[in-house]
């Protein structure tokens, strides 16, 4: 693992992973990133002078580019974070999700096969679909994705497994729970609610807000991926989360308590179509590699909220730019028809 490509390394989890990895390992990291709205150079602002890090701006679906970068840099590992990642965006415009998440991952697999490179793929708990009460997903459960985003991630996940089975390509997969922490684009619930609370704007909770999520700190996702890279078995899939869930309303309470926000800001708005009610994963398999999460989900959400309070320099320019257009499309009508002052 001397020469690594981290695809999507300018995004939320990718940038946290690059920082974590360079702090602990003697590798050269090439970030391959298309720099979509979610990919931001400033997510690695503290590291650009480091000679062990470089950026190639480009698309994982560009096979010639991926091949050239892998050859020129003698790459021995690809860690694939690059993706379109927001469920609501996948409902508004799904095709790009297939382009990047399915075809892009497929291109990486083809180049990895041609050049004999290990590939680690970052998948998600959403591939299991809605999980009924009383069950926790294990890695052998069938995939049952329900949104265009989740379906594209499930297709990629299965392609990665197919390349192991068919070609013996050295691959590993992690399926992560909902991550929270620094540098998460404010379209996602925890940064959206945190920044809205700081600005005194309404918090648009979809439906009754009783959906269950495992809000895991991004640090623990990075250490989980590291454990799989160093000690995981080739060809295997590992769930990475805390194994504990809370409702979205509980998450909102933590955000408001942490930031001293007013509960009158909470609005129950029209639900997300096909909204998965519950995700929940069993994480015994990654624990067996000697990995443990450092953060409880409650601490993870509180710490994330504090980060947004302390880092307005990062999110204020985002929220005043192109994000505004998306926000209006996604929320203005929903909020206008939501009664105010509902108790949460
Ligand atoms: P993000 O949206 O913050 O970042 C995605 C990154 O990928 C951005 O830097 C973007 O520019 C880049 N990218 C997009 N299309 C690209 C392309 N065609 N070529 C190259 N780069 C491209 O996403 P995130 O939340 O950091 O998620 C990273 C990965 O982790 C994704 O694969 C996602 O499915 C997975 N995941 C996310 C979570 C979560 O809670 N955020 C949980 C589990 C798994
Ligand atoms: O579970 C892993 C997944 O977590 C990742 O694969 C995805 O990339 C990531 O976006 C995330 O998906 P979710 O859809 O669960 O996350 P999001 O932050 O969009 O929403 C979290 C919960 O909050 C979900 O139940 C929907 C709800 N929500 C979200 C938004 C944006 C609201 O109630 N209101 C909102 O405005």
């Amino acid at each position: 693992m001397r020469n690594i490509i981290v695809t999507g390394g300018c995004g939320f989890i990718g940038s946290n992973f690059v920082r974590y990895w360079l702090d602990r390992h003697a590798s050269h990291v090439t970030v391959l990133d298309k720099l979509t709205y979610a990919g931001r150079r400033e997510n690695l602002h503290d590291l650009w002078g480091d000679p062990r890090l470089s950026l190639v701006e480009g698309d994982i679906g560009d096979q010639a580019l991926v091949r050239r970068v892998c050859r020129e840099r003698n790459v021995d590992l690809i860690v694939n974070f690059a993706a379109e990642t927001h469920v609501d965006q996948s409902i508004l415009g799904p095709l790009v999700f297939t382009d990047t998440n399915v075809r892009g991952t497929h291109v990486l697999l083809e180049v990895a096969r041609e050049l004999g490179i290990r590939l680690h793929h970052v998948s998600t708990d959403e591939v299991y679909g809605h999980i009924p009460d009383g069950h926790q997903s294990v890695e052998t459960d069938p995939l049952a994705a329900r949104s265009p985003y989740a379906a594209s991630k499930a297709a990629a996940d299965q392609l990665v497994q197919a390349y192991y089975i068919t070609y013996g390509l050295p691959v590993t997969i992690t399926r992560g729970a909902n991550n929270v922490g620094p540098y998460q684009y404010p379209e996602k619930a925890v940064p959206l609610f945190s920044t809205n609370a700081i600005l005194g704007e309404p918090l648009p909770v979809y439906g009754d807000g009783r959906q269950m999520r495992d809000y895991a700190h991004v640090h623990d996702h990075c250490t989980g991926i590291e454990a799989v890279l160093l000690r995981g078995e080739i060809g295997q899939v590992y769930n990475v989360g805390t194994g504990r869930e809370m409702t979205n309303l509980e998450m909102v309470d933590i955000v408001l308590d942490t930031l001293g926000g007013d509960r009158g800001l909470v609005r129950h708005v029209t639900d997300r179509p096909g909204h998965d009610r519950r995700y929940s994963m069993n994480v015994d398999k990654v624990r067996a590699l000697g990995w443990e999460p450092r953060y409880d989900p409650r601490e993870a959400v509180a710490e994330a909220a504090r980060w947004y309070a302390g880092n307005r320099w990062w999110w204020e320019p985002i929220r005043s730019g192109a994000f505004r257009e998306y926000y209006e499309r996604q929320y203005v009508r929903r909020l206008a028809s939501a009664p105010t002052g509902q108790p949460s």
Side-chain angles (χ1 to χ4, degrees), residues 10-161:
C10 288
F12 162 48
I13 307 174
S15 61
N16 278 282
F17 178 80
V18 168
R19 186 171 293 106
Y20 176 82
W21 188 266
L22 284 176
D23 207 31
R24 285 159 185 82
H25 301 277
S27 304
H28 184 277
V29 172
T30 300
V31 167
L32 172 59
D33 200 300
K34 191 178 171 184
L35 298 179
T36 67
Y37 71 94
R40 312 191 70 83
R41 280 191 175 83
E42 62 267 34
N43 290 2
L44 288 167
H45 61 98
D46 47 328
L47 282 176
W48 287 123
D50 189 324
R52 297 171 303 151
L53 176 67
S54 53
L55 172 66
V56 174
E57 187 176 343
D59 192 325
I60 59 167
D62 181 344
Q63 190 165 355
L65 172 73
V66 175
R67 187 188 291 120
R68 180 168 58 71
V69 174
C70 287
R71 277 209 178 115
E72 280 176 6
R73 300 179 185 218
N74 204 15
V75 166
D76 47 22
L77 171 68
I78 299 172
V79 185
N80 182 31
F81 291 94
E84 291 292 335
T85 61
H86 191 39
V87 173
D88 293 325
Q89 299 271 17
S90 86
I91 295 167
L92 294 171
L95 267 181
V96 67
F97 284 72
T98 304
D99 294 341
T100 288
N101 301 1
V102 187
R103 189 179 175 282
T105 302
H106 203 165
V107 166
L108 296 177
L109 286 164
E110 270 298 281
V111 174
R113 178 166 81 93
E114 184 186 331
L115 303 180
I117 298 171
R118 177 175 176 184
L119 185 139
H120 178 80
H121 179 68
V122 181
S123 187
T124 167
D125 61 2
E126 300 211 8
V127 298
Y128 296 117
H130 161 70
I131 306 304
D133 286 345
H135 182 65
Q136 288 203 307
S137 307
V138 291
E139 290 81 351
T140 47
D141 281 354
L143 306 192
R146 288 159 34 92
S147 73
Y149 162 70
S152 68
K153 291 296 290 184
D157 189 309
Q158 300 227 280
L159 273 169
V160 175
Q161 295 187 64

Side-chain angles (χ1 to χ4, degrees), residues 193 196-205 249 252-253 255-257 260-269 335 338-344:
F193 293 166
N196 277 17
I198 292 164
L199 295 170
E201 291 189 19
L203 273 52
V205 172
L249 287 178
V252 167
D253 275 346
V255 168
L256 291 174
D257 284 348
D262 175 359
R263 277 189 173 56
L265 292 173
V266 174
R267 301 280 188 285
H268 289 267
V269 300
L335 283 167
T340 54
Q342 286 189 1
S344 62

